[in-house]
Amino acid sequence: MFFNRKKDKEEPIILDCYTHSSYAYDHAKINHARHYIPDWWKKTKHIHNSQPTIKVCSAIKEHYLKGVVVPLWGELEITLYPYVSADDIAPTYEWRSSNLDFDTDSSHSRDQFAGFAGKNGVNLKITAPWAIKCKELIHFTYTQPVWSQPDMVDDLTLLPGVLEFKNQHSVESNYFFRQRKTKRKVSISPLTPMAIMHPMSERPIELRHHYIEDKNSWLNRVAKSGVGMFLDLADGSSIDLQKYYKKRNKFWEKRDKIDKTPLI
């Protein structure tokens, strides 16, 4: 007989993290946020001038103890260009990195979110060289680790969201900035936490890391897992995303049900 057993709160949520980047795998694995508690916070005394400091704030401590971070897998320098006019076609930003495993090609035009961006708002999407898979439908908040970014938080804002890694596996950070009157340069050091995730669950997180040397294998087997099961994306034409997501989710539910069916 087959039972759908309710998960115990101590049973870990397993996140399988795959990458083709040797830099990310060797030096900047997706990790528990407790390993990235800022040095400035550690050095802060509990009391200053007879007054308690930020060191006694339990919210910050729990923020790092219960989260998972995506650290930067190299050094990144971003130049943010000033706003000229609505007709200006010059680049809104440029970037250079210490290795080739960086990608901002998927950034969205301001027309796609004009109500928020206005005339001078810019999206800068940084796609991490990771794909995360989870066999369970667990949602995670995806937010900016502000306490770890004191030197860049005034220039780049990570747009918050909620992710799950059962139906999709990409790790993308949609940063936002407003063009100002002057050019700015943002320098981001290796291992800077770029995003922090918190599971909507009391269960602990277990991280498993996998290195896939061939990038094409990584893309086809992991990052785009399940895509080839649907005609919707086969020819690269525009699709009804809401309809596709519904079909995709139904597919995963059916596949999981088949996998769990007991032998007769």
Side-chain angles (χ1 to χ4, degrees):
M1 185 176 292
F2 176 73
F3 294 94
N4 185 12
R5 182 175 61 87
K6 186 177 181 180
K7 297 287 185 179
D8 186 273
K9 67 164 57 176
E10 299 301 321
E11 187 171 350
I13 300 167
I14 298 174
L15 294 183
D16 284 291
C17 307
Y18 300 82
T19 185
H20 64 86
S21 170
S22 59
Y23 305 102
Y25 185 80
D26 291 339
H27 309 297
K29 289 183 174 72
I30 292 173
N31 209 337
H32 295 284
R34 61 178 178 267
H35 299 295
Y36 283 86
I37 296 175
D39 288 336
W40 68 262
W41 190 86
K42 293 179 181 179
K43 295 175 182 177
T44 300
K45 297 183 181 300
H46 285 78
I47 300 293
H48 178 70
N49 292 335
S50 301
Q51 295 292 325
T53 68
I54 197 171
K55 190 66 172 286
V56 302
C57 179
S58 60
I60 297 176
K61 182 178 179 180
E62 293 299 314
H63 186 66
Y64 281 92
L65 290 180
K66 297 184 182 301
V68 173
V69 300
V70 182
L72 194 63
W73 51 98
E75 188 171 15
L76 182 62
E77 184 180 270
I78 306 170
T79 301
L80 311 178
Y81 287 108
Y83 177 79
V84 179
S85 70
D87 299 325
D88 184 35
I89 59 174
T92 52
Y93 66 86
E94 289 184 346
W95 59 277
R96 65 191 188 105
S97 60
S98 59
N99 63 65
L100 298 179
D101 295 333
F102 282 81
D103 176 16
T104 65
D105 292 341
S106 299
S107 298
H108 300 286
S109 69
R110 61 169 60 103
D111 294 336
Q112 292 180 275
F113 61 127
F116 180 84
K119 65 179 182 180
N120 62 346
V122 180
N123 170 245
L124 197 172
K125 179 184 286 189
I126 301 176
T127 301
W130 289 99
I132 301 178
K133 300 184 74 173
C134 182
K135 293 183 178 180
E136 303 176 66
L137 184 61
I138 306 291
H139 289 90
F140 292 78
T141 60
Y142 196 82
T143 57
Q144 185 166 12
V146 174
W147 300 112
S148 297
Q149 300 178 349
D151 297 328
M152 62 178 279
V153 69
D154 288 339
D155 293 308
L156 293 174
T157 299
L158 180 64
L159 300 174
V162 173
L163 293 178
E164 53 86 12
F165 301 106
K166 177 180 173 63
N167 295 302
Q168 74 85 39
H169 312 297
S170 60
V171 184
E172 299 177 336
S173 296
N174 275 292
Y175 276 91
F176 177 83
F177 69 91
R178 290 203 178 277
Q179 293 177 284
R180 300 176 185 167
K181 295 181 179 180
T182 58
K183 181 172 70 174
R184 295 167 285 160
K185 187 169 290 186
V186 181
S187 298
I188 312 175
S189 302
L191 299 181
T192 297
M194 297 301 285
I196 186 166
M197 301 183 291
H198 291 91
M200 292 184 178
S201 169
E202 296 182 14
R203 293 164 55 198
I205 298 295
E206 179 180 330
L207 297 170
R208 298 177 180 178
H209 301 90
H210 313 272
Y211 178 61
I212 300 179
E213 187 170 358
D214 180 62
K215 185 174 182 178
N216 289 328
S217 296
W218 175 79
L219 286 171
N220 296 327
R221 182 69 186 273
V222 183
K224 296 182 179 179
S225 175
V227 170
M229 300 297 289
F230 311 102
L231 283 171
D232 304 68
L233 302 177
D235 57 5
S237 59
S238 60
I239 63 170
D240 183 335
L241 284 176
Q242 294 300 321
K243 183 178 179 181
Y244 164 67
Y245 291 152
K246 186 176 181 179
K247 180 194 291 188
R248 179 198 63 183
N249 294 350
K250 188 175 181 180
F251 161 77
W252 285 113
E253 289 176 6
K254 184 176 181 179
R255 197 210 67 170
D256 289 346
K257 184 178 180 180
I258 292 172
D259 286 348
K260 293 178 181 178
T261 302
L263 295 175
I264 297 175

